[in-house]
Amino acid sequence: MAAYSYALQVNKCSSPQRPSLPQKIEHFSNPLSTSFKPLLRGLDQFPNISVDVTKAIKKTSCKLLDAFVDFIFEFVGQPLLPSQRNFAPVGEIGEATTSVTRVEGMIPDDFPEGVYIRNGPNPLFGGLKSTRSIFGESNHMWVEGEGMLHALYLKKNARIRGRWNTLYKNKHVQTDTYKMEKDRKKPGFLPAIEGDSPAVLLAYLLNVKAPGTGGLVIIGIDAQKPYFELGVISADGKEMVHKADLMFDRCTVCHEIGVTERYNVIMDFPLTIDISRLVLGGSLMRFEENGYARIGIMPRYGDANSIKWFEVEPCCVFHIINCFEDNDEVVVRACRARQSAIPGPNSRVNHFEKWLRGRSSKDDRIEFTKESTFPRVCEWRLNMKTGEVRVKKNLSGDEFAMEFPSINENFTGFRNKFAYLQVVESTEISGSGFTRFGGLTKLHFEEKRIPTEEEDELVKAEYHMLPNNTFCSGASFVPKPGGVDEDDGWIITFTHNENENISQVYIVDAKKFTNEPVAIITLPSRVPYGFHGAFMPLES
């Protein structure tokens, strides 16, 4: 599997209190001035900026900076609409796991014992906030904030055949930033993506970088050179056995990479971070509609010179479904949108409706619409011998937009027949601006739908739609132990019923995908909408 890290820390505050910097420099792994270096290198291009930031920081105590931030910035709540209330954070339930007793249906006997975990944003100090200052406004995005894990443990009852013991627990991820904020009892970061350029620029100056994450094949991006690096971690996770600077000429927001048996698959698409652009009054993050886009195929232990690049039409991809080798071609399947909705419009509530109707960004005059920003399934076929690119932009059709793909992980990097995705709620165009997923879909890549007049040939799709005002997140495929077929298993997902304000876990038979769930497990605590889920079997 691929993992990723962002070297640029742009976490935003989410507290009614005003933010401050740490009172003791020991809170940081590096001197405070180190976090200014990326910006200073960008500022070297602008001789008209006469303030020597490094010298000023060296002469200014953290206490004075703390007072400065408290004096300059005011936090203002971003109210949530009724349809947005499950995006609000929750508190930890405590150290002990909580027993779950309400189960509709039956957890199958051959379901593996294990733990189902999903991550998501969960700010320590309340919901979304904007900042106001003499420098303008900056706005918090719901995807940010300290992370929280939600876990459902499933273990068979040793004494009663057919009975399961189910336990639930949530817990904040114990990052350095979490520990720092917890100790200080107030947030440590200002909103630094959306808003007025001077306010975002100052927030970037005052924020601190956080360490990245690791995995088998990892990537790191930074707003300064080297913009993009790739590494390979040893199987035991103890050392990095390979590292390469891919020699990018821009900071691309690459959310993940793909892997095949022999290659790493790199998406260099035109959603970029640029400090120089921010200094000149533009946005820190922007989708460059006229920028170049390319997909790179790199040998597992290769370097920048060994990458074979394929030029493709500019678009935005956050999540790859799977990649595999097919004779001379490398096949890449992903959720593709014509452009990115991030950073998107101003996140204040009264701007959402205009954006969803089609609104131009003041930075680049791109028109944001549902059709252009909600993704569909795309397939690129990249011929390693001829350099030819064959593309099917829309395998899934226009009926639904879909994201957050999952497959049987035993087929990662190999040809797969099936993929499972979350279906974007069809009424999103009228509502919140916060994407919700009202159902699941199963795509059959080797079966076609009845021929239509569509531009691209569509693959067969089955749908499992959720009850009215019920939405899912973190859907994951759980393989059946000893299963023979690729789709022998279940889809498991966290759901939230907004009518009753209850959170549940659905288990759906992947072979009988359109049937009712085989089990619905009601949780003792609300689970906010989040991102990615994973099921990990427990050893006996």
Side-chain angles (χ1 to χ4, degrees), residues 370 376 394 396-402 423-424 426 449 454 458 461 463 465:
K370 184 180 77 166
R376 270 73 177 177
N394 188 357
S396 54
D398 291 325
E399 184 178 7
F400 295 106
M402 50 191 69
V423 175
V424 175
S426 60
R449 298 190 200 180
E454 297 287 340
L458 303 182
Y463 294 96
M465 304 308 292

Side-chain angles (χ1 to χ4, degrees), residues 71 151 213 235 317 353 415 423 475:
F71 178 75
T213 60
V317 168
E353 189 175 350
R415 178 191 292 272
V423 175

Side-chain angles (χ1 to χ4, degrees), residues 73-87:
F73 289 94
E74 175 189 7
F75 277 83
V76 180
Q78 293 177 202
L80 294 177
L81 298 173
S83 60
Q84 299 170 340
R85 62 182 178 179
N86 197 46
F87 290 94

Side-chain angles (χ1 to χ4, degrees), residues 247 253 382 464:
M247 301 298 179
V253 181
L382 314 173
H464 185 99

Side-chain angles (χ1 to χ4, degrees), residues 18-19 64-75 131-136 190 198-199 202-203 206:
R18 292 179 179 179
L64 289 176
L65 281 175
D66 184 75
F68 170 77
V69 174
D70 280 349
F71 178 75
I72 292 295
F73 289 94
E74 175 189 7
F75 277 83
T131 63
R132 293 177 182 172
S133 70
I134 60 174
F135 301 98
L190 299 165
L202 188 60
L206 295 173

Side-chain angles (χ1 to χ4, degrees), residues 266-494:
I266 300 142
M267 316 292 271
D268 182 12
F269 287 175
L271 178 61
T272 64
I273 292 173
D274 190 333
I275 301 170
S276 301
R277 181 173 61 217
L278 178 64
V279 171
L280 292 173
S283 58
L284 178 65
M285 185 185 297
R286 188 178 74 182
F287 178 77
E288 300 174 358
E289 187 178 29
N290 298 318
Y292 65 86
R294 57 182 185 167
I295 301 175
I297 308 300
M298 172 187 178
R300 180 77 75 242
Y301 298 96
D303 57 19
N305 295 324
S306 67
I307 302 175
K308 186 175 182 65
W309 289 105
F310 296 83
E311 293 186 4
V312 297
E313 183 180 332
C315 60
C316 182
V317 168
F318 284 109
H319 297 119
I320 295 172
I321 297 172
N322 196 24
C323 306
F324 59 89
E325 299 165 37
D326 184 14
N327 296 321
D328 294 334
E329 295 180 321
V330 173
V331 181
V332 180
R333 291 172 179 156
C335 298
R336 173 191 181 274
R338 296 211 315 266
Q339 60 190 45
S340 172
I342 298 177
N346 186 310
S347 56
R348 287 171 294 180
V349 172
N350 60 350
H351 286 266
F352 284 140
E353 189 175 350
K354 293 180 181 179
W355 175 62
L356 289 164
R357 288 203 305 262
R359 167 190 176 275
S360 294
S361 163
K362 68 178 181 180
D363 287 331
D364 48 17
R365 303 303 174 190
I366 296 173
E367 184 175 328
F368 291 99
T369 66
K370 184 180 77 166
E371 290 73 21
S372 65
T373 56
F374 285 165
R376 270 73 177 177
V377 173
C378 178
E379 178 183 278
W380 292 272
R381 287 185 166 268
L382 314 173
N383 193 303
M384 296 295 289
K385 284 190 174 180
T386 67
E388 180 187 7
V389 177
R390 294 190 293 152
V391 59
K392 295 181 179 179
K393 296 179 184 177
N394 188 357
L395 291 177
S396 54
D398 291 325
E399 184 178 7
F400 295 106
M402 50 191 69
E403 252 289 6
F404 289 99
S406 174
I407 67 170
N408 184 331
E409 290 191 357
N410 294 321
F411 289 81
T412 298
F414 300 93
R415 178 191 292 272
N416 63 306
K417 296 179 182 179
F418 307 107
Y420 310 88
L421 299 95
Q422 297 172 189
V423 175
V424 175
E425 166 61 21
S426 60
T427 60
E428 286 298 297
I429 193 169
S430 64
S432 66
F434 292 55
T435 302
R436 298 174 299 178
F437 298 90
L440 303 164
T441 184
K442 176 184 180 181
L443 297 183
H444 300 244
F445 289 116
E446 296 187 0
E447 295 184 52
K448 304 301 179 184
R449 298 190 200 180
I450 298 173
T452 67
E453 297 179 357
E454 297 287 340
E455 176 184 350
D456 294 319
E457 190 175 25
L458 303 182
V459 299
K460 177 182 174 182
E462 294 182 275
Y463 294 96
H464 185 99
M465 304 308 292
L466 301 174
N468 185 44
N469 280 336
T470 299
F471 306 97
C472 64
S473 63
S476 182
F477 181 84
V478 181
K480 179 180 179 179
V484 176
D485 297 330
E486 180 186 330
D487 59 347
D488 276 339
W490 302 267
I491 295 296
I492 188 169
T493 181
F494 281 96

Side-chain angles (χ1 to χ4, degrees), residues 1-6 119 212-220 228-233 254-261 263-267 296 298 300 318-323 332-333 405 407 409 411-413 532-534:
M1 292 186 65
Y4 58 90
S5 65
Y6 290 107
N119 63 9
T213 60
L216 178 60
V217 180
I218 64 172
I219 60 174
F228 192 113
E229 289 186 311
L230 180 143
V232 180
I233 304 297
C254 182
H255 186 61
E256 65 177 0
I257 62 174
V259 292
T260 70
E261 292 183 80
Y263 300 115
N264 305 314
V265 180
I266 300 142
M267 316 292 271
M298 172 187 178
R300 180 77 75 242
F318 284 109
H319 297 119
I320 295 172
I321 297 172
N322 196 24
C323 306
V332 180
R333 291 172 179 156
I407 67 170
E409 290 191 357
F411 289 81
T412 298
H532 299 283

